[in-house]
Amino acid sequence: MTVRTVTQAPNDEIACPHCRKTIRFHRYGSMGNLNPHFYCDTCSNLFWRAEDFHRVYGNVPTKALIQEITGNLPSCPCGGRFTAEANPKCPHCHQELPHQDLLEDRLFDALAVQIEGAVLVIEE
């Protein structure tokens, strides 16, 4: 397996729902095939692994499938853990940004955001 990190320049911004400061981020769309992706529970780094995409493609999203995939996620470079429950955090107030989907549906979420300063960790 090859592991590499990718940093993208921000292409969008929002106001943090908690502190209202501007959060700059790179938005990955459906053409990027970053589903499923997982965020770090400590920072805003995100993780994508090719084999996980093949595990979810054509399957029904279940908690068992989430456990199968997340059972061997690597540690984040910051020392935190990539998890199915984590979300990106505001770089100013460090509050987690809410996600609109149920946990199982997030396996098929093609939209990923890379907060400015965070990295995308790819395992191929």
Side-chain angles (χ1 to χ4, degrees), residues 10-25 89-94 97 115-117:
N11 62 6
D12 210 342
E13 61 183 42
I14 61 168
C16 174
H18 305 284
C19 71
R20 307 304 302 162
K21 290 186 179 178
T22 300
I23 302 171
R24 294 169 31 96
F25 63 95
K89 289 105 183 122
C90 173
H92 309 289
C93 70
H94 308 289
L97 303 173
I115 301 294
E116 186 174 38

Side-chain angles (χ1 to χ4, degrees), residues 1-18:
M1 296 276 171
T2 302
V3 177
R4 62 186 172 100
T5 59
V6 176
T7 302
Q8 295 285 354
N11 62 6
D12 210 342
E13 61 183 42
I14 61 168
C16 174
H18 305 284

Side-chain angles (χ1 to χ4, degrees), residues 13-98:
E13 61 183 42
I14 61 168
C16 174
H18 305 284
C19 71
R20 307 304 302 162
K21 290 186 179 178
T22 300
I23 302 171
R24 294 169 31 96
F25 63 95
H26 181 84
R27 180 189 309 257
Y28 294 92
S30 61
M31 297 305 288
N33 288 334
L34 284 181
N35 58 311
H37 56 274
F38 305 95
Y39 294 98
C40 177
D41 61 2
T42 304
C43 71
S44 292
N45 289 341
L46 65 149
F47 176 79
W48 180 83
R49 179 170 49 194
E51 70 182 56
D52 295 336
F53 174 78
H54 297 293
R55 280 186 184 158
V56 301
Y57 188 77
N59 283 317
V60 175
T62 63
K63 288 186 181 180
L65 183 57
I66 292 170
Q67 290 173 342
E68 176 186 330
I69 292 171
T70 59
N72 64 354
L73 290 175
S75 295
C76 179
C78 81
R81 295 284 310 159
F82 291 110
T83 71
E85 296 85 5
N87 293 310
K89 289 105 183 122
C90 173
H92 309 289
C93 70
H94 308 289
Q95 292 293 311
E96 208 169 73
L97 303 173

